[in-house]
Structures are given as structure tokens and as C-alpha cells.
């Protein structure tokens, strides 16, 4: 039985082999995890469709392949794996007539298939893939082969004519020093890096911050926390209250719940909030779908469910798709007071909540000790200007400051 890289959604077109959980010769039960696959949405375990023995691995760790590509063979114990299909012979090229209008390079059908990621990287950097030697399975050219080619010093160019237009050289590779250690990129780290570069390259970020008095919210949580957690069986954090405030702000400023469409702005009718989670393998953003339809209790259940599954690598592809705006609780990571978050492409904005601390502030011409928190917003300046950003932050601030000991959570 040939195991293929499964199709998991319209927006997921390729996956990277992260780690093989079984090796050739290992016995495997039906639905037992066989390999860990990393996509730009989620890391998932692909199960074996049958019980038997892993006969052959067809894709190496680190290979990026289109969905539907065969990656392994599973069969009966002792069964001989099928022989790989022979490479088709390339017919000798016929002599072209002298008067032919143009010559057409024949396609070498024996050359291993290229993944979309490799083709895209080569196209963006004008790399002639026929000049590369593939190190992947069966001579396949991998993304690392292209990156290694780009990092190599180019031969000295011939003197250019006066009319020649100079082109930018690829960024030089950084070689480690004698006391340094080179740590290879994991598939997850590589995808995070690519996503961050794409966001800051394509989206003109602007940034704003506002201080919020959450003294009433702190008192509310303290007064209902014990009874709530005993009754609901989930933790009551500040996140559900912040989500409710962000939802209200997105309703008031719908251009924050949007995407740049090139010649238009696409407003999202659903409010699906992504929550940035620091998982063991790296940053991941699961989504609370239709967050505007949930009360505080419902949001508490949703937040705990997706964050716990994110941290143990049990998210499904649907859990990370469809986000329209992102929220990051950077204050929980060690006392952060101010941050400049990177937008989760292609959304219009991301907001962070910083640590809550007691500060001396002026209230009614007197100094008072209050629980204060900063909220920071990065937004796409193509879609929104300072007026919309200020209105959005002011709505979040007003809603958070409206919570008090008597506010309902149901």
C-alpha cells in the first residue's frame, strides 16, 4: 500500500517531512502515527492506513512535497518493496533544420519532479535549476539545495556594457566563527521565518499603544474565579475578557477585520480570532472561530481547548484556518510592557496585551494605585490610517475598563 501526503484543505498545497516516526522494517498498526508533516498551517501526524510493516520510505526528512505525493510503502511482514519505476529513456534529439525559426529545449522527463516551494524559490531568485545537483531522494532538488547554491560565491562577471542594468546580489551567507555552533533549521522554524519575512516585506506596518486601567477587571476575575472554575472545569484567565473587547472593536472598526486585495479591501464578515501560542516546536496561531457568538464562559472553554491542543501538537488543520485578526498575550511571557508585533499575513492587524502591574496614576486630581496594562497594535497602513487605529484601541480600552465586580460572565 502506497502512503501519500494527505490533502488536508484547499489552502494547503504542500507539506514538509518533519520526522519519520517509523523506519523500514518496523511493524505498524492501522491508524498508528507514521510520519510528522509540517505545513504552513499546522504540524500533524500522518497515520498508516493499514496494519503491516513499513517497507520503504520514499521522501526524506526535510523534503517539501505537493499534497498527494507518495511518501512511503506499507505491506505484509517480509514483503519485498516494489521496485521504483525505471527512468524513461531520453530519445536522441533530432538534427534541427538549418532554417528553423527557433530552437526549443527538450524537457528531460527523467529529472525528478520539483516541489512548488523549490520552483517558487528558484523563480524569485532567477536560479537555473538545471545547474543544480539534487541531494534529495532520487536526486530530487530540495529547497536546501537552492539556498546552498544562492549562498555560494558567484564567479567574477564579465565586464558589463555601459547600458547594462546592475542586479542585486543574493545576501551572503554568515559563516560561524570558531566558538560558534550552527543549528540546522527545523521545518517549523523555516516556515515561521518565511511567514515573518513575507509579512514585513509585503505589509507596511504601523504601530500604536494605549494604556488601560484594568483594576475593575482584576477585581471581577478575583471575585468569580473560584466558583467559575469549579462549575466550568476550565481556568478563567484574562484572555476571554480581552477577546470580547477586541470583538466589539472589530465590529466598530470593520476595516481592522479585513485583507488587502490589491485593487480593493476585502472586509471579513466573520470574526475569527487567532491566538498566538508559544508551542514547544515554535509559534503557532490556532483560531477561535465566530468569537463574536460566545460569552465569557464560552470563550474560556474555547481558549483553553485550542491552547492546550496547540502545546501538545494535537491541532487539526481547521483549527488554524480562517483567522481574520490575531491577539497575542505577550505579557504572559515574562513581564513584557511594550511590544511591536508582526502582522499575521494577510490580516490587517494584530494586538498584544502586556503584563498587568500596579502603577501610581492620577485619578480625580489625586494619586491612586491602579492595575494598569498596555495594549499594542500593529496594523496594515494600506488598509487603515491612524484615525481607525486610534478608534479601535479606544474601543478596546473602554470595554476593558467597563468590567467591574458586578459584570456578568454568562
Amino acid at each position: 500500500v502506497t502512503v501519500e501526503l494527505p490533502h488536508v484543505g484547499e489552502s494547503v498545497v504542500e507539506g514538509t517531512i518533519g520526522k519519520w516516526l517509523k523506519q523500514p522494517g518496523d511493524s505498524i498498526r492501522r491508524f498508528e502515527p507514521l510520519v510528522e508533516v509540517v505545513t504552513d498551517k499546522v504540524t500533524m501526524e500522518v497515520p498508516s492506513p493499514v496494519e503491516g510493516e513499513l517497507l520503504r520510505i520514499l521522501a526524506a526528512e526535510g523534503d517539501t512535497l505537493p499534497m498527494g505525493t507518495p511518501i512511503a510503502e506499507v505491506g505484509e511482514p517480509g514483503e519485498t518493496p516494489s521496485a521504483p519505476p525505471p527512468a524513461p529513456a531520453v530519445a536522441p534529439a533530432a538534427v534541427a533544420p538549418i532554417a528553423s525559426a527557433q530552437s526549443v529545449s527538450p524537457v528531460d522527463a527523467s529529472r525528478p519532479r520539483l516541489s512548488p516551494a523549490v520552483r517558487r524559490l528558484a523563480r524569485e531568485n532567477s536560479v537555473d535549476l538545471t545547474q543544480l545537483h539534487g541531494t534529495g531522494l532520487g536526486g530530487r532538488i530540495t529547497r536546501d539545495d537552492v539556498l546552498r547554491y544562492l549562498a555560494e560565491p558567484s564567479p567574477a562577471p564579465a565586464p558589463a556594457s555601459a547600458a547594462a542594468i546592475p542586479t542585486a546580489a543574493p545576501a551572503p551567507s554568515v559563516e560561524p566563527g570558531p566558538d560558534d555552533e550552527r543549528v540546522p533549521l527545523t521545518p517549523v522554524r523555516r516556515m515561521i521565518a518565511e511567514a515573518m519575512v513575507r509579512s514585513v516585506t509585503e505589509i507596511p506596518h504601523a504601530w500604536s499603544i494605549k494604556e488601560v486601567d484594568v483594576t475593575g477587571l482584576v477585581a471581577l476575575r478575583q471575585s468569580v474565579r473560584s466558583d467559575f472554575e469549579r462549575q466550568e472545569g476550565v481556568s478563567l484567565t484574562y484572555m476571554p475578557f480581552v477577546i470580547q473587547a477586541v470583538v466589539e472593536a472589530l465590529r466598530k472598526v470593520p476595516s481592522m477585520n479585513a485583507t488587502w486585495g490589491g485593487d480593493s479591501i476585502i472586509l471579513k464578515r466573520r470574526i475569527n480570532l487567532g491566538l498566538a501560542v508559544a508551542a514547544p516546536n515554535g509559534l503557532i496561531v490556532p483560531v477561535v472561530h465566530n468569537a463574536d457568538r460566545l460569552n465569557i464562559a464560552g470563550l474560556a472553554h474555547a481558549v483553553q481547548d485550542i491552547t492546550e491542543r496547540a502545546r501538545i501538537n494535537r491541532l487539526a488543520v481547521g483549527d488554524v484556518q480562517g483567522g481574520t485578526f490575531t491577539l497575542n498575550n505577550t505579557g504572559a511571557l515574562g513581564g513584557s510592557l511594550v511590544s511591536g508585533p508582526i502582522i499575521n499575513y494577510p490580516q490587517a492587524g494584530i494586538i498584544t496585551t502586556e503584563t498587568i502591574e500596579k502603577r501610581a496614576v492620577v485619578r480625580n486630581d489625586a494619586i491612586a494605585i491602579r492595575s494598569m496594562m498596555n495594549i499594542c497594535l500593529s496594523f496594515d497602513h494600506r488598509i487603515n490610517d491612524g484615525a481607525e487605529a486610534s478608534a479601535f484601541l479606544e474601543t478596546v480600552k473602554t470595554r476593558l475598563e467597563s468590567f467591574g465586580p458586578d459584570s456578568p460572565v454568562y
Side-chain angles (χ1 to χ4, degrees):
V1 175
T2 300
V3 181
E4 297 180 346
L5 207 56
H7 293 277
V8 292
E10 292 182 2
S11 63
V12 181
V13 298
E14 63 186 18
T16 299
I17 304 298
K19 180 181 180 182
W20 282 101
L21 306 177
K22 296 288 184 178
Q23 295 300 319
D26 290 351
S27 59
I28 188 168
R29 298 186 303 274
R30 187 182 185 190
F31 301 135
E32 185 179 2
L34 175 64
V35 60
E36 187 178 90
V37 175
V38 181
T39 74
D40 60 347
K41 300 292 185 181
V42 70
T43 299
M44 61 184 180
E45 292 178 346
V46 176
S48 173
V50 295
E51 183 173 353
E53 180 181 295
L54 178 57
L55 302 178
R56 188 157 63 122
I57 290 176
L58 305 178
E61 292 181 0
D63 282 357
T64 300
L65 309 167
M67 293 305 186
T69 302
I71 58 174
E73 290 182 357
V74 177
E76 297 294 331
E79 181 181 341
T80 303
S82 62
V90 180
V95 179
I98 296 177
S100 74
Q102 62 179 14
S103 61
V104 180
S105 300
V107 177
D108 186 355
S110 65
R111 191 171 184 85
R113 183 170 52 182
L114 300 170
S115 74
V118 169
R119 290 197 299 270
R120 182 172 63 247
L121 184 61
R123 183 173 61 252
E124 291 173 352
N125 293 277
S126 301
V127 174
D128 181 3
L129 292 175
T130 62
Q131 304 300 315
L132 274 67
H133 172 69
T135 60
L137 200 65
R140 181 189 296 273
I141 295 175
T142 67
R143 184 161 35 188
D144 286 339
D145 293 329
V146 180
L147 293 173
R148 199 159 33 243
Y149 176 82
L150 292 172
E152 292 175 354
S154 303
S161 64
I165 299 175
T167 58
S173 61
V174 178
E175 293 299 325
D179 298 324
D180 300 334
E181 176 186 2
R182 183 186 291 276
V183 180
L185 292 178
T186 63
V188 172
R189 190 73 254 163
R190 185 183 299 281
M191 288 191 173
I192 291 173
E194 291 176 351
M196 296 298 102
V197 170
R198 183 181 188 186
S199 178
V200 298
T201 301
E202 297 189 21
I203 298 177
H205 283 55
W207 182 81
S208 187
I209 181 175
K210 194 169 282 287
E211 189 178 53
V212 183
D213 185 342
V214 292
T215 305
L217 174 57
V218 171
L220 169 62
R221 178 172 175 261
Q222 289 177 344
S223 66
V224 302
R225 182 177 181 182
S226 296
D227 291 340
F228 180 91
E229 293 181 353
R230 182 170 53 253
Q231 180 174 336
E232 298 294 333
V234 296
S235 299
L236 182 62
T237 65
Y238 292 109
M239 188 60 68
F241 301 96
V242 176
I243 291 176
Q244 197 171 79
V246 170
V247 164
E248 185 171 319
L250 290 173
R251 283 174 173 161
K252 184 173 181 179
V253 188
S255 56
M256 279 293 175
N257 199 51
T259 296
W260 179 254
D263 60 352
S264 61
I265 294 173
I266 302 169
L267 300 179
K268 302 292 185 177
R269 296 306 180 193
R270 293 182 180 272
I271 297 180
N272 300 329
L273 279 188
L275 303 181
V277 177
N281 292 330
L283 178 69
I284 193 165
V285 186
V287 177
V288 177
H289 292 90
N290 300 310
D292 53 325
R293 302 180 185 178
L294 301 175
N295 60 13
I296 295 297
L299 290 170
H301 280 276
V303 168
Q304 181 162 313
D305 173 54
I306 62 172
T307 54
E308 285 184 351
R309 288 192 288 117
R311 292 187 176 114
I312 61 174
N313 196 26
R314 288 294 181 271
L315 290 173
V317 174
D319 294 322
V320 292
Q321 290 182 328
T324 60
F325 190 87
T326 297
L327 169 61
N328 189 3
N329 182 20
T330 48
L333 301 178
S336 171
L337 292 177
V338 177
S339 59
I342 296 176
I343 297 169
N344 188 10
Y345 182 93
Q347 296 170 12
I350 178 173
I351 191 171
T352 65
T353 55
E354 308 302 326
T355 191
I356 297 175
E357 65 174 11
K358 290 186 179 295
R359 301 177 199 160
V361 297
V362 177
R363 291 291 182 268
N364 300 321
D365 292 332
I367 296 177
I369 304 300
R370 309 288 291 180
S371 294
M372 307 298 294
M373 177 181 74
N374 294 331
I375 53 176
C376 306
L377 173 70
S378 290
F379 59 97
D380 187 337
H381 215 327
R382 297 172 301 180
I383 301 174
N384 291 289
D385 297 322
E388 290 82 11
S390 295
F392 179 86
L393 284 176
E394 185 61 31
T395 303
V396 175
K397 170 186 170 73
T398 301
R399 183 69 182 100
L400 288 175
E401 291 183 346
S402 71
F403 287 111
D406 298 326
S407 299
V409 295
Y410 292 99

